[in-house]
Protein backbone atom coordinates (compact mmCIF):
# COMPACT_ATOMS: atom_id res chain seq x y z
CA UNK A 1 0.00 0.00 0.00
CA UNK A 2 1.42 3.38 -1.02
CA UNK A 3 1.31 5.81 1.89
CA UNK A 4 2.09 9.54 1.72
CA UNK A 5 1.02 10.36 5.27
CA UNK A 6 3.10 13.25 6.62
CA UNK A 7 4.56 14.12 3.22
CA UNK A 8 3.99 17.36 1.33
CA UNK A 9 3.69 17.11 -2.44
CA UNK A 10 3.80 19.98 -4.94
CA UNK A 11 2.05 19.20 -8.23
CA UNK A 12 2.19 21.71 -11.07
CA UNK A 13 -0.58 21.97 -13.63
CA UNK A 14 -3.05 20.39 -11.22
CA UNK A 15 -6.33 22.01 -12.30
CA UNK A 16 -7.12 19.36 -14.92
CA UNK A 17 -5.97 16.27 -16.78
CA UNK A 18 -2.92 14.37 -15.58
CA UNK A 19 -2.18 16.86 -12.80
CA UNK A 20 -5.66 16.55 -11.33
CA UNK A 21 -5.42 12.76 -11.49
CA UNK A 22 -2.05 12.84 -9.71
CA UNK A 23 -3.58 15.03 -7.01
CA UNK A 24 -6.44 12.58 -6.52
CA UNK A 25 -4.18 9.52 -6.29
CA UNK A 26 -1.69 11.14 -3.91
CA UNK A 27 -4.42 12.73 -1.83
CA UNK A 28 -6.12 9.37 -1.40
CA UNK A 29 -2.77 8.02 -0.18
CA UNK A 30 -2.58 10.67 2.54
CA UNK A 31 -0.39 13.39 1.03
CA UNK A 32 -0.68 17.04 1.91
CA UNK A 33 -0.98 18.78 -1.44
CA UNK A 34 0.20 22.06 -2.88
CA UNK A 35 -1.63 22.30 -6.19
CA UNK A 36 -0.41 24.76 -8.78
CA UNK A 37 -2.62 26.26 -11.46
CA UNK A 38 -2.08 28.86 -14.15
CA UNK A 39 -5.34 30.76 -14.28
CA UNK A 40 -8.05 28.19 -13.47
CA UNK A 41 -8.01 28.67 -9.69
CA UNK A 42 -11.65 27.65 -9.25
CA UNK A 43 -11.01 24.34 -10.95
CA UNK A 44 -7.82 23.73 -8.97
CA UNK A 45 -9.62 24.48 -5.71
CA UNK A 46 -12.32 21.96 -6.63
CA UNK A 47 -9.60 19.36 -7.26
CA UNK A 48 -7.99 20.23 -3.91
CA UNK A 49 -11.27 19.86 -1.99
CA UNK A 50 -11.95 16.49 -3.56
CA UNK A 51 -8.40 15.13 -3.37
CA UNK A 52 -7.28 16.16 0.10
CA UNK A 53 -9.84 18.11 2.11
CA UNK A 54 -8.10 19.95 4.93
CA UNK A 55 -4.68 18.91 3.60
CA UNK A 56 -4.35 21.04 0.49
CA UNK A 57 -3.74 24.52 -0.79
CA UNK A 58 -3.80 26.11 -4.25
CA UNK A 59 -1.19 28.48 -5.64
CA UNK A 60 -1.51 30.29 -8.97
CA UNK A 61 1.50 31.15 -11.11
CA UNK A 62 1.95 31.85 -14.80
CA UNK A 63 4.95 29.68 -15.65
CA UNK A 64 5.35 31.51 -18.96
CA UNK A 65 6.65 34.47 -16.91
CA UNK A 66 10.35 34.38 -16.16
CA UNK A 67 11.04 33.73 -12.47
CA UNK A 68 7.47 32.72 -11.61
CA UNK A 69 8.49 29.11 -10.90
CA UNK A 70 10.95 30.20 -8.23
CA UNK A 71 8.28 32.36 -6.60
CA UNK A 72 5.89 29.41 -6.74
CA UNK A 73 8.38 27.18 -4.97
CA UNK A 74 8.96 29.70 -2.19
CA UNK A 75 5.23 30.07 -1.58
CA UNK A 76 4.74 26.29 -1.63
CA UNK A 77 7.58 25.70 0.81
CA UNK A 78 6.23 28.37 3.16
CA UNK A 79 2.84 26.61 3.44
CA UNK A 80 4.08 23.86 5.76
CA UNK A 81 7.77 24.61 5.96
CA UNK A 82 8.82 21.74 3.71
CA UNK A 83 8.18 19.92 0.47
CA UNK A 84 8.99 16.22 0.14
CA UNK A 85 7.95 15.52 -3.45
CA UNK A 86 7.93 17.74 -6.53
CA UNK A 87 5.87 16.65 -9.54
CA UNK A 88 6.54 18.78 -12.62
CA UNK A 89 3.45 18.20 -14.73
CA UNK A 90 2.51 21.62 -16.12
CA UNK A 91 3.06 22.01 -19.83
CA UNK A 92 1.72 23.50 -23.04
CA UNK A 93 1.23 21.92 -26.46
CA UNK A 94 0.67 24.48 -29.19
CA UNK A 95 1.58 24.19 -32.89
CA UNK A 96 4.46 26.10 -34.45
CA UNK A 97 4.43 25.22 -38.16
CA UNK A 98 7.43 26.22 -40.25
CA UNK A 99 5.18 28.52 -42.25
CA UNK A 100 4.51 30.83 -39.31
CA UNK A 101 5.97 34.30 -39.47
CA UNK A 102 9.44 34.54 -38.02
CA UNK A 103 8.44 36.32 -34.83
CA UNK A 104 5.38 34.11 -34.24
CA UNK A 105 7.51 30.99 -34.70
CA UNK A 106 10.17 32.24 -32.31
CA UNK A 107 7.52 33.27 -29.78
CA UNK A 108 5.94 29.79 -29.84
CA UNK A 109 9.35 28.20 -29.25
CA UNK A 110 10.12 30.63 -26.42
CA UNK A 111 6.78 30.02 -24.67
CA UNK A 112 7.04 26.26 -24.96
CA UNK A 113 10.62 26.07 -23.73
CA UNK A 114 9.86 28.50 -20.91
CA UNK A 115 6.84 26.60 -19.59
CA UNK A 116 7.88 23.03 -20.32
CA UNK A 117 11.60 23.16 -19.60
CA UNK A 118 12.90 26.35 -18.02
CA UNK A 119 10.18 26.55 -15.35
CA UNK A 120 10.72 22.85 -14.67
CA UNK A 121 14.44 23.47 -14.29
CA UNK A 122 13.79 26.38 -11.91
CA UNK A 123 11.61 24.20 -9.72
CA UNK A 124 14.13 21.36 -9.81
CA UNK A 125 16.90 23.75 -8.82
CA UNK A 126 14.89 24.96 -5.83
CA UNK A 127 13.89 21.41 -4.93
CA UNK A 128 17.47 20.11 -4.95
CA UNK A 129 18.61 22.87 -2.61
CA UNK A 130 15.67 22.28 -0.29
CA UNK A 131 16.03 18.49 -0.32
CA UNK A 132 19.70 18.80 0.61
CA UNK A 133 18.62 20.50 3.83
CA UNK A 134 16.08 17.74 4.52
CA UNK A 135 18.39 14.85 3.78
CA UNK A 136 16.49 13.80 0.68
CA UNK A 137 13.43 14.20 -1.48
CA UNK A 138 11.89 13.10 -4.76
CA UNK A 139 11.30 14.72 -8.15
CA UNK A 140 9.02 13.22 -10.80
CA UNK A 141 8.99 14.98 -14.16
CA UNK A 142 6.17 14.31 -16.60
CA UNK A 143 7.83 14.27 -20.00
CA UNK A 144 6.48 12.66 -23.17
CA UNK A 145 6.84 9.87 -25.69
CA UNK A 146 7.99 12.70 -27.98
CA UNK A 147 11.16 12.97 -25.85
CA UNK A 148 12.40 9.82 -27.57
CA UNK A 149 10.63 9.39 -30.90
CA UNK A 150 10.11 13.06 -31.75
CA UNK A 151 6.79 14.57 -32.77
CA UNK A 152 5.04 15.96 -35.84
CA UNK A 153 6.89 18.86 -37.51
CA UNK A 154 4.45 21.44 -36.09
CA UNK A 155 5.39 20.27 -32.57
CA UNK A 156 9.18 20.03 -32.84
CA UNK A 157 9.51 22.60 -30.05
CA UNK A 158 7.36 20.45 -27.77
CA UNK A 159 9.51 17.38 -28.44
CA UNK A 160 12.67 19.42 -27.83
CA UNK A 161 11.34 20.72 -24.51
CA UNK A 162 10.40 17.25 -23.31
CA UNK A 163 13.71 15.78 -24.48
CA UNK A 164 15.43 18.40 -22.36
CA UNK A 165 13.32 17.35 -19.40
CA UNK A 166 14.60 13.79 -19.71
CA UNK A 167 18.22 14.97 -19.78
CA UNK A 168 17.55 17.21 -16.77
CA UNK A 169 16.03 14.32 -14.81
CA UNK A 170 18.95 11.99 -15.53
CA UNK A 171 21.47 14.66 -14.59
CA UNK A 172 19.79 15.29 -11.24
CA UNK A 173 19.58 11.56 -10.50
CA UNK A 174 23.28 11.05 -11.19
CA UNK A 175 24.46 14.18 -9.43
CA UNK A 176 22.46 14.05 -6.19
CA UNK A 177 21.72 10.42 -5.38
CA UNK A 178 24.26 10.52 -2.55
CA UNK A 179 22.23 13.34 -1.01
CA UNK A 180 19.16 11.10 -0.92
CA UNK A 181 17.57 12.97 -3.85
CA UNK A 182 15.71 10.75 -6.29
CA UNK A 183 14.61 11.85 -9.77
CA UNK A 184 12.35 10.01 -12.18
CA UNK A 185 10.54 10.77 -15.42
CA UNK A 186 7.30 9.50 -16.89
CA UNK A 187 6.82 9.58 -20.66
CA UNK A 188 3.15 9.36 -21.66
CA UNK A 189 1.90 9.08 -25.20
CA UNK A 190 -1.51 10.56 -25.90
CA UNK A 191 -3.60 10.73 -22.73
CA UNK A 192 -7.34 11.38 -22.62
CA UNK A 193 -7.18 14.95 -21.29
CA UNK A 194 -8.52 18.34 -22.30
CA UNK A 195 -5.12 19.15 -23.78
CA UNK A 196 -5.44 16.13 -26.07
CA UNK A 197 -8.96 17.12 -27.01
CA UNK A 198 -7.71 20.60 -27.90
CA UNK A 199 -5.02 19.12 -30.16
CA UNK A 200 -7.69 17.04 -31.93
CA UNK A 201 -9.73 20.19 -32.51
CA UNK A 202 -6.61 21.83 -33.96
CA UNK A 203 -6.37 19.14 -36.61
CA UNK A 204 -4.64 16.07 -35.17
CA UNK A 205 -6.52 12.97 -36.38
CA UNK A 206 -7.84 11.15 -33.30
CA UNK A 207 -8.66 7.99 -35.25
CA UNK A 208 -5.09 7.84 -36.54
CA UNK A 209 -3.77 8.32 -33.01
CA UNK A 210 -5.85 5.42 -31.71
CA UNK A 211 -4.90 3.24 -34.67
CA UNK A 212 -1.18 3.42 -33.83
CA UNK A 213 -1.74 2.31 -30.22
CA UNK A 214 -1.62 -1.49 -29.94
CA UNK A 215 -3.96 -1.38 -26.94
CA UNK A 216 -6.49 0.30 -29.21
CA UNK A 217 -7.29 3.40 -27.21
CA UNK A 218 -5.82 6.49 -25.59
CA UNK A 219 -4.60 6.13 -22.00
CA UNK A 220 -6.68 7.53 -19.14
CA UNK A 221 -4.86 10.07 -16.94
CA UNK A 222 -5.12 7.70 -13.99
CA UNK A 223 -2.61 5.38 -15.65
CA UNK A 224 -0.01 8.13 -15.54
CA UNK A 225 -1.02 9.21 -12.03
CA UNK A 226 -0.57 5.71 -10.66
CA UNK A 227 2.94 5.48 -12.11
CA UNK A 228 3.86 8.88 -10.69
CA UNK A 229 2.59 7.89 -7.25
CA UNK A 230 4.58 4.65 -7.30
CA UNK A 231 7.80 6.41 -8.30
CA UNK A 232 7.28 9.08 -5.63
CA UNK A 233 6.45 6.51 -2.95
CA UNK A 234 10.02 5.55 -2.15
CA UNK A 235 9.37 1.88 -2.89
CA UNK A 236 11.97 1.70 -5.68
CA UNK A 237 14.79 4.13 -4.87
CA UNK A 238 17.33 2.31 -7.04
CA UNK A 239 15.17 3.08 -10.07
CA UNK A 240 16.24 6.73 -9.79
CA UNK A 241 17.12 8.21 -13.15
CA UNK A 242 14.72 5.95 -15.01
CA UNK A 243 11.89 6.90 -17.35
CA UNK A 244 8.65 4.92 -17.34
CA UNK A 245 6.70 4.86 -20.62
CA UNK A 246 2.90 5.04 -20.53
CA UNK A 247 1.88 4.83 -24.17
CA UNK A 248 0.03 1.57 -24.77
CA UNK A 249 3.10 0.14 -26.56
CA UNK A 250 2.80 2.74 -29.32
CA UNK A 251 6.52 3.43 -28.88
CA UNK A 252 8.66 0.74 -27.30
CA UNK A 253 12.28 1.55 -26.46
Amino acid sequence: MINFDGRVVLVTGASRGIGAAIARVMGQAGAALVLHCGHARDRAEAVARAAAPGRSTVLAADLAVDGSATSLWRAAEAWRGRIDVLVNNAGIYEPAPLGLGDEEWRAAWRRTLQVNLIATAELCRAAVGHFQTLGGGTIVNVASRASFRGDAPDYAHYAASKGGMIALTRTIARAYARDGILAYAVAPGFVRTEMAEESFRQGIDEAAVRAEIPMGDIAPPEDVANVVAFLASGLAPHATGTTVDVNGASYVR
Side-chain angles (χ1 to χ4, degrees):
M1 179 70 177
I2 292 175
N3 187 345
F4 285 97
D5 284 350
R7 300 173 74 189
V8 181
V9 180
L10 167 59
V11 183
T12 68
S15 64
R16 63 177 186 169
I18 293 172
I22 293 169
R24 289 191 294 270
V25 169
M26 290 193 160
Q28 289 166 4
L33 299 174
V34 183
L35 302 184
H36 157 262
C37 64
H39 304 287
R41 176 179 282 275
D42 288 348
R43 294 183 58 166
E45 289 178 345
V47 172
R49 288 192 298 271
R55 292 180 282 110
S56 59
T57 191
V58 172
L59 297 174
D62 184 353
L63 298 182
V65 176
D66 188 42
S68 62
T70 299
S71 298
L72 169 64
W73 176 272
R74 289 171 180 160
E77 183 184 334
W79 180 53
R80 291 206 172 176
R82 64 183 293 141
I83 296 172
D84 300 285
V85 178
L86 165 64
V87 181
N88 279 307
N89 166 74
I92 59 174
Y93 187 73
E94 62 178 8
L98 296 179
L100 276 180
D102 291 349
E103 185 50 41
E104 291 176 287
W105 184 86
R106 286 192 292 266
W109 271 79
R110 283 194 294 266
R111 277 194 304 275
T112 296
L113 291 173
Q114 170 61 39
V115 174
N116 293 3
L117 184 57
I118 295 173
T120 293
E122 281 190 65
L123 287 165
C124 286
R125 174 180 180 239
V128 167
H130 179 65
F131 293 160
Q132 285 174 322
T133 69
L134 295 181
T138 303
I139 297 168
V140 184
N141 290 327
V142 180
S144 170
R145 175 183 69 177
S147 307
F148 301 98
R149 73 164 209 173
D151 210 321
D154 289 359
Y155 296 92
H157 54 326
Y158 176 81
S161 70
K162 293 299 187 175
M165 184 182 281
I166 295 294
L168 172 65
T169 304
R170 292 173 173 174
T171 300
I172 292 169
R174 287 173 55 82
Y176 301 106
R178 292 186 184 277
D179 294 329
I181 298 171
L182 309 175
Y184 309 90
V186 180
F190 268 93
V191 178
R192 183 66 70 184
T193 64
E194 290 182 21
M195 182 183 288
E197 298 296 337
E198 288 164 8
S199 71
F200 297 145
R201 287 193 291 271
Q202 291 169 357
I204 292 178
D205 186 339
E206 181 179 354
V209 169
R210 290 200 309 269
E212 72 169 5
I213 301 172
M215 291 191 70
D217 204 357
I218 296 167
E222 289 75 19
D223 277 23
V224 182
N226 290 334
V227 172
V228 170
F230 170 72
L231 294 173
S233 69
L235 293 174
H238 278 261
T240 189
T242 198
T243 300
V244 178
D245 298 317
V246 186
N247 63 47
S250 61
Y251 185 71
V252 179
R253 295 184 288 125

